[in-house]
Amino acid sequence: MKGPRRGNSSYTGPVLRPSEQSPPAGVRAWLHEIIFESDTPAGKAFDVALLWAILLSVLAVMLESVAPIRAQYGAIIRIAEWVFTVLFTLEYVLRLCAVSRPLLYARSFFGLVDLLAILPSFVSLFFPGAQSLLVVRVLRLLRVFRVLKLVSFLGQAEVLLTALRASRPKITVFLGAVLSTVVIMGSVMYLVEGEANGFDSIPRGMYWAIVTMTTVGFGDITPKTVAGQFIASVLMIMGYGVLAVPTGIVSVELAAASRHGLNPEACPGCGAEGHDVDAVHCKFCGTRL
Amino acid sequence: MKGPRRGNSSYTGPVLRPSEQSPPAGVRAWLHEIIFESDTPAGKAFDVALLWAILLSVLAVMLESVAPIRAQYGAIIRIAEWVFTVLFTLEYVLRLCAVSRPLLYARSFFGLVDLLAILPSFVSLFFPGAQSLLVVRVLRLLRVFRVLKLVSFLGQAEVLLTALRASRPKITVFLGAVLSTVVIMGSVMYLVEGEANGFDSIPRGMYWAIVTMTTVGFGDITPKTVAGQFIASVLMIMGYGVLAVPTGIVSVELAAASRHGLNPEACPGCGAEGHDVDAVHCKFCGTRL
Amino acid sequence: MKGPRRGNSSYTGPVLRPSEQSPPAGVRAWLHEIIFESDTPAGKAFDVALLWAILLSVLAVMLESVAPIRAQYGAIIRIAEWVFTVLFTLEYVLRLCAVSRPLLYARSFFGLVDLLAILPSFVSLFFPGAQSLLVVRVLRLLRVFRVLKLVSFLGQAEVLLTALRASRPKITVFLGAVLSTVVIMGSVMYLVEGEANGFDSIPRGMYWAIVTMTTVGFGDITPKTVAGQFIASVLMIMGYGVLAVPTGIVSVELAAASRHGLNPEACPGCGAEGHDVDAVHCKFCGTRL
Amino acid sequence: MKGPRRGNSSYTGPVLRPSEQSPPAGVRAWLHEIIFESDTPAGKAFDVALLWAILLSVLAVMLESVAPIRAQYGAIIRIAEWVFTVLFTLEYVLRLCAVSRPLLYARSFFGLVDLLAILPSFVSLFFPGAQSLLVVRVLRLLRVFRVLKLVSFLGQAEVLLTALRASRPKITVFLGAVLSTVVIMGSVMYLVEGEANGFDSIPRGMYWAIVTMTTVGFGDITPKTVAGQFIASVLMIMGYGVLAVPTGIVSVELAAASRHGLNPEACPGCGAEGHDVDAVHCKFCGTRL
C-alpha cells in the first residue's frame, strides 16, 4: 500500500514525510510535533483549536454576505475575519518553518489550500468583495480526518478515488459524447426555437441542452414550438438512458475497487497485493496464498 | 443473527424482550399479550384496530389543513383528533404498564414515536397549529410489519439497513465532498451573479448550488449572466458524474449484503461459500450442505 | 420454464392455451389460426393489418385533441375513430368466438386491453371527451412482439420482470420509507412556509415533497423563507442518497436474473433449472451437470 | 478482436482499409500517408492543423450566433467560415482521391461527417441561417482519438459501445414501456387538467409526461387541480423506480463487458476464465497463463 500512495496521493504524504526523511532538530521538531502531528496533547489541542477557527471563519464569511446581518454586525464580522486571517497567516509561516523542505509543502495540496485561505483577505483591500472567496477555507477542514484518527474514513476515500481514477478513461469518452450532443442540440434548438423563445445564441442553446440532459430542468428557458418540444422530448429520453452510463461505470469500478480491498493479504512469495477474494494462488508468481 | 440484532436494531427488541427475560404475571401478562403480541385473536384484533385508528387520525390531520374542508367540518375533525389523542394516550399508558421495564420501552424507537404521536395535541393548546405535527403518527404504521407477519419484508429492510450502514463511511466522505463543493460554488455564484439576479447572500447561493447539484432544479433562482451560466453548466455536468457515486456505493454494498446475508454457511466438503439460500448441495463439489 | 410461466405470466398464455388443450374444430380452428397465430400468411397479414390499424387509431385520437386540427378535420377524424371502433369491436367478438374458453380470454391481460380499447368510444356517446381514453389502444401494440417473432425481446422483458418481481419486497419497504418522509416533510413545510408561500395544505406540502425528493423540481411551489430553504436543502441531499437505493436494488436483482438466465441447462438428475454459470454440480440433488 | 470490429464498428475501419487491401501507388500513397495516417511528421502536422481548424470553425459558428458579436465582427466571422468551408471542401476532395475506393469512404461514418461539415455553408446561400448547422463539425473532432494515439481511450469506448449494444434489447423493451406510459398519462392529464391549465392537447400532455418521468421538471406546464397533482405524484414516484432500470441494465452489461473484454484467455491448466488483465498465473490452479 505504501508504494503506490507515495506516488499519486500527494495530499497526505508531504506533511508527514519530513519527519521520515530528515529528522528536524530542536525548535523545528517541536513545532512540527505541535502543528503537523496530533499524537501529543499539545498537537491535538492545536488541531482541534484550528478546526474550530476554520469553522468560525467560514461562518463569519457566510454571515457577512447576508445583508441584514452585515448592516448590524458588519464591523464586528470584519474584525473577526481579519483576526482569523492574521492567525492563519501566522500558522502558514510557522508551517513553512516547521518542515525541512518548505517549498515541497508550499506546493502540496494542503500547502496551496493554506495559502488560498489567507490571500482573499489581502486581495479584498484592493478589490472589495473578494473576501467572499475566503470560503475556500472550508477545504482546510479536510484536516479533520487526520485529527479525528478517521483512518477508516480515509481508506474509504481512497477506494472512492481509486474507483474514480480507474473510471477516468471511460468517463472522458462519455463526457466527449455528452459535450458533442450538447453542441449539436444547442445549435438545433437555436435554429428551431429562435431568439423569440429565449434561445438567443448557440451558447445559450448549449446551456439549455446541459440543463436538460442533466435532468436539472430549471425552466428559465423552455421550448415553446411543437418542433422544439419534440426535439426536447427526444433529448430528455436520450439523457434518461445516458444518465445510466456514468452510474454503471462507477458501480463496476467501485465493485472492483472494494473487491480488491477485501483481500488485504500480500503474497508470501512475491509480496504483491490486490488479489481477488476467491484467489487460491498469487496471480503474479503462482505461489499458494 | 440474535447477537448483533440485540445490539444495534433497537426498535423491535425492547418491546419483545420483557416476556423473554422476566415472565410478567397476571394482568400485566394479559395486557402484554393483547397490546404487544398479535398471535392471539384478541391481540390481532387490537393491532388491526390500532392500525386503522392511526390511518384515520393521520387522515384527519391532513384534512384539517385543507382550508375549505376545515371551514365546513373543522369542529368534527377537531373532536376526532382529540378522541384519537385520548385513545393513544390511554394506549401509551397501558403499554408502559404492560412491560416489566417501562423506562426501557419509553426510550426505545417505538416508545418515542408513541409519545411524539400524542404530544402535539397537548402542545397545540398553547401554540395553535402545532397539531399538524400529529402526522408523525404515520411512523406508528411501521408496526404494520409485525401485525401482518411480513417477516420477509422485515428481512428485506434488514438487508437495506445493512447495506446503508456499511456504506456510511463512504457516504460520509462523499457528503463532505458535496458540501464543500456547495459552499465554494455558492460563494462563487454570489460573487459572479450578485444580488440583482437573486443570489443575495452566500447561504442563498448554497441553496441554489444544492438545488442544482441534486438535479432538482426548481428554477426559482437561476443564473442570468454568461459567466454564471457557464459556471452552472460545469456544476451540472460535475453533479451528473457525482450522482453516480452514491448509486455505485449502495449497489455494491447491497450486492454484498444480499450475498452474505442469505447463506453464510461454508461447504463442509470443500469449504466454498456464497451458496444460494435454496441450495442443498455445494455447487462446486456436490457435498450436502 | 413452462411450469412457472403458466402460473404467473398470464398475458401470453391464455390466448395460446386453447389450441393446446382442446383442439377447436372447423370454423373456430380457422378463425383461431388467422386471429391468434401468425405462422400462416393469412395470420401474419391479419396481425400486420391490425398493428397498422392500432397505430392509426391512436394517432387519430391524438390529432383530435389538437384544437386547430380538430377545427379543420374534426368530422373526418370522428368518422375514422368510429370505423376503427367498429372494426375492433368486430375483432373482439371474433376473438371471443375463436377460443374454446371465451371467459378465460376475456379475463386475460390482452382480453381486458381489447375491451378497454373499444369501450371509451361508446362511453363518449354519453360523456363527450371520453374518447381521449382510446389511447389505451397503445397497449394493444404489445402484440407486436408476437407478430415480429421477437422472442429474444420477450426473453429480455421476462428478465426485466423477474428482476422487478424479485425486487418487490425491497421496493415496498423503500416506498414505505419514502412515503413516510413525504408525509412528515410535507407537514413540516406547511407549518414553516404557510399558505402565503403556496404551501396551503398538508396534501399540497406532500405534493411539493414528492416533486422535490424525486428531483423533478417543477418550481411551481418553492420555499421562500430561510428555514424552509434549509429544510428543503436537507430533503434534497437526503433524496440524493435515497435515489441510489432503488437503482442499487434493481442492479443487484438484474445481475442475479441475467446470471440465472445464462445457464439454461436443466439438471439431468432432478430437472431443476436456474443454476449459476460456474456451477459444476446441481445445487439441489448434487448430480454433476 | 479484428474479426468483429471489421464487421460492426464501421467508423475506424474504412479509412484504414485501403492501405491493407490494395497498396495505393505514387501520389495517392503520398496523399494517404499525410491525410489518413499520423505516423509520419507530415501526417501528424496535417492532423494537428486539422483539429485546430475544426475547433476554430466550430467556435466561429458559435460566436456568429451571439447577436452583439455578430453586429461587430459579423463580416470577419463570415469570411472565416467560408475560408474553413473551402479548406474542408478541398480536404474532402483530397480524401476521396487518396483512397482506392472513394465510394466506400464516402459512405463510412467519417465520410458522411466530413460531407455534412461542409454542406450547410452551401445550403446557407439559399436558406440564410443554415450555417448554424456547421456545428456538426464538432463530430470531426472524434479523429482526435487517432491523432493522439489514445488507443486505450478507444478501447474504453469499445467497452461502452459493447455494453450499450448488449443492452439494446432490454432498453428497447424498457423504452416501449416508458412510451406507452407517456401516451396514456399524457391523455389522462389532458382530460383531468384541460386546456385552461396548459394541457391543451394530448401531444402537449405527452411532452409534460416526458418532462416529468425523466425528472427534468421544467415547470413550464404543471398540474393545478388536486386530481392532477395526485396523478403527477404517482407518475413521479413511478418514474423514480423506473429510473433505476436503465441504470441497472447498463451496470450489469458494463460489468459483463469489462469482465469479458479484458482477458478472454482460458487457463491452459484448469480452463478457468475471467482472469484479470494483469494476471500471469491462473488464480485457481496456479498454472502459467
Side-chain angles (χ1 to χ4, degrees), chain C residues 6-273:
Chain C
R6 202 180 280 255
N8 49 25
S9 75
S10 62
Y11 70 91
T12 56
V15 297
L16 295 168
R17 245 178 244 162
S19 64
E20 294 169 12
Q21 290 168 350
S22 64
V27 183
R28 194 200 285 164
W30 178 72
L31 267 176
H32 191 274
E33 197 67 32
I34 289 178
I35 299 180
F36 283 101
E37 308 294 340
S38 51
D39 301 328
T40 58
K44 179 139 202 178
F46 177 86
D47 277 351
V48 170
L50 184 61
L51 291 180
W52 279 106
I54 294 168
L55 270 181
L56 287 175
S57 72
V58 169
L59 197 69
V61 176
M62 279 188 197
L63 289 179
E64 202 211 348
S65 75
V66 184
I69 296 178
R70 185 173 53 232
Q72 213 165 352
Y73 307 104
I76 302 170
I77 293 175
R78 290 310 305 268
I79 291 170
E81 268 173 22
W82 274 104
V83 169
F84 284 124
T85 301
V86 168
L87 281 177
F88 290 159
T89 311
L90 196 71
E91 182 217 342
Y92 183 66
V93 172
L94 286 178
R95 274 181 195 274
L96 284 178
C97 298
V99 296
S100 54
R101 298 196 194 167
L103 258 172
L104 204 70
Y105 163 70
R107 286 209 315 262
S108 74
F109 176 78
F110 272 123
L112 288 174
V113 167
D114 289 350
L115 185 60
L116 282 173
I118 49 177
L119 272 190
S121 285
F122 300 110
V123 172
S124 74
L125 291 178
F126 308 99
F127 302 97
Q131 72 269 21
S132 293
L133 290 172
L134 287 171
V135 289
V136 82
R137 283 172 180 169
V138 83
L139 286 180
R140 301 195 73 198
L141 289 177
L142 286 173
R143 290 182 191 280
V144 80
F145 289 119
R146 214 180 57 247
V147 178
L148 302 181
K149 299 275 175 226
L150 298 176
V151 182
S152 77
F153 280 77
L154 265 183
Q156 299 299 337
E158 194 77 7
V159 169
L160 275 185
L161 281 177
T162 305
L164 284 179
R165 217 177 292 134
S167 312
R168 218 176 35 188
K170 280 204 203 70
I171 284 180
T172 304
V173 167
F174 172 72
L175 278 185
V178 167
L179 284 181
S180 302
T181 312
V182 162
V183 170
I184 291 171
M185 294 304 276
S187 309
V188 168
M189 290 303 277
Y190 165 70
L191 285 181
V192 168
E193 289 280 327
E195 303 188 20
N197 294 325
F199 293 80
D200 57 1
S201 67
I202 291 179
R204 189 85 62 190
M206 287 165 60
Y207 164 71
W208 173 84
I210 291 174
V211 167
T212 303
M213 272 200 87
T214 54
T215 76
V216 171
F218 282 136
D220 49 352
I221 309 172
T222 53
K224 301 287 187 304
T225 65
V226 171
Q229 292 185 344
F230 179 76
I231 296 170
S233 299
V234 172
L235 181 64
M236 281 182 270
I237 289 193
M238 245 172 60
Y240 202 73
V242 159
L243 199 70
V245 175
T247 311
I249 294 170
V250 175
S251 292
V252 169
E253 297 294 345
L254 210 55
S258 48
R259 204 180 332 114
H260 290 305
L262 287 175
N263 194 345
E265 288 173 284
C267 167
C270 67
E273 290 185 349

